[in-house]
Structure formats: structure tokens, C-alpha cells
Amino acid sequence: AQSVAQPEDQVNVAEGNPLTVKCTYSVSGNPYLFWYVQYPNRGLQFLLKYITGDNLVKGSYGFEAEFNKSQTSFHLKKPSALVSDSALYFCAVRPTTGFQKLVFGTGTRLLVSP
Amino acid sequence: KAGVTQTPRYLIKTRGQQVTLSCSPISGHRSVSWYQQTPGQGLQFLFEYFSETQRNKGNFPGRFSGRQFSNSRSEMNVSTLELGDSALYLCASSQGVAQPYEQYFGPGTRLTVT
């Protein structure tokens, strides 16, 4: 069965600095990988996804993620953090074959300080 | 397009009661998934429906059930409520399954069991 690990419960970064939110996954075969963000008292919003091809995926709000097959990782990055990026971030994985469910990580809280 | 809507937004129930939550997907979306979100457990998958058929089911007891109607609207039911069922229940819709479609989430139903 597929699984996702987000090793950091919280990431703290100063505004203007680069940020990284880590995600590793386990799946049988090839993965579809996703990042979602949740702002307080709201549902999750889609940020970006990896399907195939280029390992660097660009998404909404200046975020990007790098797929690394050998390390089974899909880390979320942004060159310059904003205070408004403070939120809960979820990584998710789904195998490319079969009707299998989307599995989410436990989430990482990003706190960007002014 | 209107987003995913969930009703009600808030519910307070007593142990032993049952509850029904409703989800209306984005127009044209045929897949609906349900998740339970709690601070300690993150986002736990409940079920996924496509064309009125349950495609996937998570590891929840039989007290949790769901269904999808011909217009793609979905309901989930929890019988014999327990205190541990208190959570945010999120519904998400997508165009289909077995493809890298991103999911669009509703705002959730906050269930409190006393």
C-alpha cells in the first residue's frame, strides 16, 4: 500500500528566505504526487502535481517541487517565503495504475515570520 | 464554476446518535472522496465514489457509510456516534479516478460529539 511521510511537524522560516517542506513516499510502481495547502478554517487547495517528465514542477503562488525517484522524495520549495504562506501543507501520493486511493501525509505546518 | 459545497458546516451530536453529511461536487465532476481530519491523525481517507460506485474504502468501521447519487452528489453517514468521531469531515471532487486529476475540496463539516 502507498504511504507518505512528512518528517517535520513544523517548519519555521523568516520572510524572504527560501523554504523547503519535505515529503517522501512509498508506492508500488510509479507515483502521481501532489501538494495541497490548507489555510485556517478552510478546505485544502491544490498547489501542484507531478505526473511524469520534468522532475521540477511549478505550481501556484510561486511554489515548486522537485521529484527525486532514487530518493523517493517530492520536496516543496519556494525561493522567497511570504508571511501569507503560513499554513498547513500536505503531500499526497497515488499509484499510476489501478483504482487506488490518494494517500495524504500528516501535514507540515509552515510558519513564516516577518 | 461553483466550488464543492458541504452541508451542514457545523454539527453537534450526542454519543449514540447518527449523522448524515452532504456533499455537492463541482459541476461535471463524477468522483467524490471523503476524508476525516483530526489534529492527531491528519487526513484519513474514508471512501471514494465514481459513477455511484464505491471505488475505494479506507480503514474505518462499518458505522461509517456513504453513497453517491446519479447527479454525483454524495452523502456519508455515521451511526452510533462516538466521542472519537469528532473531527472535520472533508469532501473532495475530481473529474475521475485512475488518472492524476487533482481533487477540489469543500470547506468541511465540523462534527462535535458530546
Side-chain angles (χ1 to χ4, degrees):
Chain A
Q2 59 272 30
S3 64
V4 173
Q6 293 183 243
E8 302 153 316
D9 290 337
Q10 183 163 311
V11 170
N12 299 304
V13 64
E15 188 173 34
N17 284 357
L19 69 88
T20 299
V21 182
K22 295 179 181 177
C23 169
T24 58
Y25 67 91
S26 173
V27 71
S28 180
N30 294 316
Y32 294 134
L33 291 155
F34 304 81
W35 275 101
Y36 288 83
V37 60
Q38 186 178 35
Y39 297 102
N41 301 313
R42 296 176 68 174
L44 278 68
Q45 295 179 31
F46 169 75
L47 274 180
L48 52 78
K49 64 182 175 184
Y50 171 80
I51 303 173
T52 187
D54 195 349
N55 290 341
L56 186 64
V57 179
K58 294 188 183 297
S60 307
Y61 313 121
F63 284 94
E64 57 189 26
E66 187 169 11
F67 171 65
N68 187 316
K69 187 170 185 176
S70 63
Q71 297 186 5
T72 61
S73 67
F74 189 56
H75 300 331
L76 182 69
K77 301 181 180 185
K78 188 174 183 181
S80 179
L82 299 172
V83 172
S84 57
D85 293 330
S86 298
L88 190 56
Y89 290 81
F90 290 93
C91 180
V93 66
R94 187 172 201 155
T96 60
T97 56
F99 293 91
Q100 300 198 53
K101 63 187 180 184
L102 184 65
V103 172
F104 284 82
T106 52
T108 298
R109 187 163 301 282
L110 174 66
L111 185 59
V112 182
S113 54
Chain B
K1 272 185 180 178
V4 178
T5 57
Q6 293 187 245
T7 56
R9 291 292 310 279
Y10 302 92
L11 267 178
I12 300 176
K13 290 286 187 179
T14 305
R15 271 182 304 175
Q17 288 186 315
Q18 76 165 18
V19 66
T20 298
L21 311 182
S22 181
C23 172
S24 293
I26 290 172
S27 178
H29 284 191
R30 297 171 62 192
S31 175
V32 172
S33 299
W34 288 89
Y35 298 89
Q36 181 195 65
Q37 185 177 16
T38 57
Q41 298 296 319
L43 217 61
Q44 300 292 311
F45 172 79
L46 281 156
F47 0 78
E48 180 177 38
Y49 288 89
F50 179 76
S51 293
E52 302 178 67
T53 300
Q54 188 178 86
R55 296 291 180 169
N56 284 293
K57 189 177 189 304
N59 298 322
F60 279 82
R63 301 185 296 107
F64 291 81
S65 63
R67 59 179 175 168
Q68 187 181 32
F69 301 96
S70 58
N71 61 358
S72 295
R73 193 177 67 84
S74 177
E75 289 182 348
M76 67 163 280
N77 183 278
V78 188
S79 62
T80 320
L81 283 166
E82 300 177 359
L83 294 179
D85 297 333
S86 295
L88 180 66
Y89 289 88
L90 292 167
C91 167
S93 76
S94 64
Q95 291 177 278
V97 297
Q99 295 293 332
Y101 297 118
E102 57 265 31
Q103 295 189 346
Y104 293 84
F105 283 79
T109 295
R110 174 77 61 185
L111 172 65
T112 303
V113 182
T114 62

